[in-house]
Amino acid sequence: MAEPNFKNKFLKFLRAADFNIVDVEVKERNVLRPGIRFDLDGELLLSKEDDAYVTVYDVYTTHRAKEGSFQVHFDNESTGTKAFMFLALYILHNENAKKVLLIDEFDRSFHLELAEALLDVFTHEKQSNQFILTTHELSLMDHNLRQDQIWFAEKNEYGETELSSIYDFDDVFLNRGDFGYKKRYLEGRFGATQIVNHSALLDVLGE
């Protein structure tokens, strides 16, 4: 966070996503790192390194409060906050332009509104990166995505995953402007549904 302009941009991005963070600070501290020693019954056999002090960096976020503010160590932030901060750094840093980012369950720990907003960011014309995302949130299928941007993962009888795109399905309704992918998916039009034996799950409880 050494660049003031980038830091301001980063903080504005966080506030726009409704995170109550007004500052981010990196603090240095020296900690003692013991050397690596191997011994047998108290007899020193090998010493690879001497004890040494190393510098570690702690990240603190400053949150606005009703009266003043307070700091939180990054490790104590929620999973969603930490994930969004990492994404913000990647999205906003120019050195990351024109790269591919794969994120499994990208919306995990995010509210639906934030996940939808991130999709808008990922697909914006000013965003030069390519994002490959997985999710189980069906509602996101209906959020301003093209047919070729939505893919389904389905396991065959051998447990192998097969991919298919909505674009591959021959359905006259796909050309309608009010087409709802989620509704059609729940109707089984695109496959890729998990077959759960509800009664068998309950039967196991009684065993």
Side-chain angles (χ1 to χ4, degrees), residues 154-162:
E154 182 171 22
K155 289 185 178 181
N156 61 24
E157 58 182 314
Y158 304 106
E160 301 166 337
T161 300
E162 299 175 347

Side-chain angles (χ1 to χ4, degrees), residues 44-198:
L44 180 64
L45 299 180
L46 175 66
S47 177
K48 293 188 64 177
E49 297 180 7
D50 295 328
D51 294 347
Y53 281 93
V54 295
T55 302
V56 297
Y57 300 91
D58 294 310
V59 177
Y60 291 88
T61 55
T62 301
H63 293 251
R64 182 175 56 242
K66 187 175 182 180
E67 297 181 0
S69 60
F70 61 93
Q71 281 194 328
V72 177
H73 192 282
F74 182 77
D75 290 344
N76 295 325
E77 288 286 3
S78 68
T79 302
T81 299
K82 289 188 283 191
F84 190 85
M85 289 177 68
F86 278 122
L87 276 175
L89 288 173
Y90 193 94
I91 293 169
L92 299 175
H93 207 289
N94 291 331
E95 291 183 0
N96 295 323
K98 298 182 180 179
K99 294 185 179 179
V100 178
L101 184 63
L102 292 82
I103 312 176
D104 186 31
E105 300 289 350
F106 89 99
D107 56 321
R108 181 176 50 196
S109 302
F110 293 156
H111 290 291
L112 178 60
E113 293 83 354
L114 182 54
E116 291 176 341
L118 281 173
L119 280 184
D120 292 335
V121 171
F122 296 156
T123 58
H124 195 275
E125 59 183 9
K126 292 184 179 180
Q127 176 58 245
S128 60
N129 296 304
Q130 181 181 12
F131 293 87
I132 301 176
L133 317 167
T134 68
T135 180
H136 284 88
E137 177 53 64
L138 302 180
S139 299
L140 294 175
M141 287 193 290
D142 292 334
H143 188 74
N144 304 323
L145 293 175
R146 302 191 312 268
Q147 296 172 20
D148 62 304
Q149 291 178 311
I150 303 175
W151 289 72
F152 299 106
E154 182 171 22
K155 289 185 178 181
N156 61 24
E157 58 182 314
Y158 304 106
E160 301 166 337
T161 300
E162 299 175 347
L163 296 177
S164 60
S165 168
I166 284 184
Y167 192 78
D168 298 329
F169 288 86
D170 185 17
D171 192 329
V172 294
F173 292 102
L174 289 175
N175 297 320
R176 287 175 43 179
D178 62 344
F179 186 86
Y181 298 126
K182 176 182 175 180
K183 178 181 178 182
R184 295 299 193 279
Y185 172 81
L186 292 175
E187 292 174 350
R189 301 285 187 93
F190 305 126
T193 55
Q194 188 167 6
I195 301 175
V196 180
N197 191 327
H198 292 249

Side-chain angles (χ1 to χ4, degrees), residues 27-49:
K27 298 181 180 180
E28 297 182 8
R29 61 186 173 94
N30 293 323
V31 297
L32 181 64
R33 183 184 65 186
I36 301 175
R37 295 178 175 84
F38 301 91
D39 61 78
L40 180 64
D41 295 331
E43 181 180 354
L44 180 64
L45 299 180
L46 175 66
S47 177
K48 293 188 64 177
E49 297 180 7

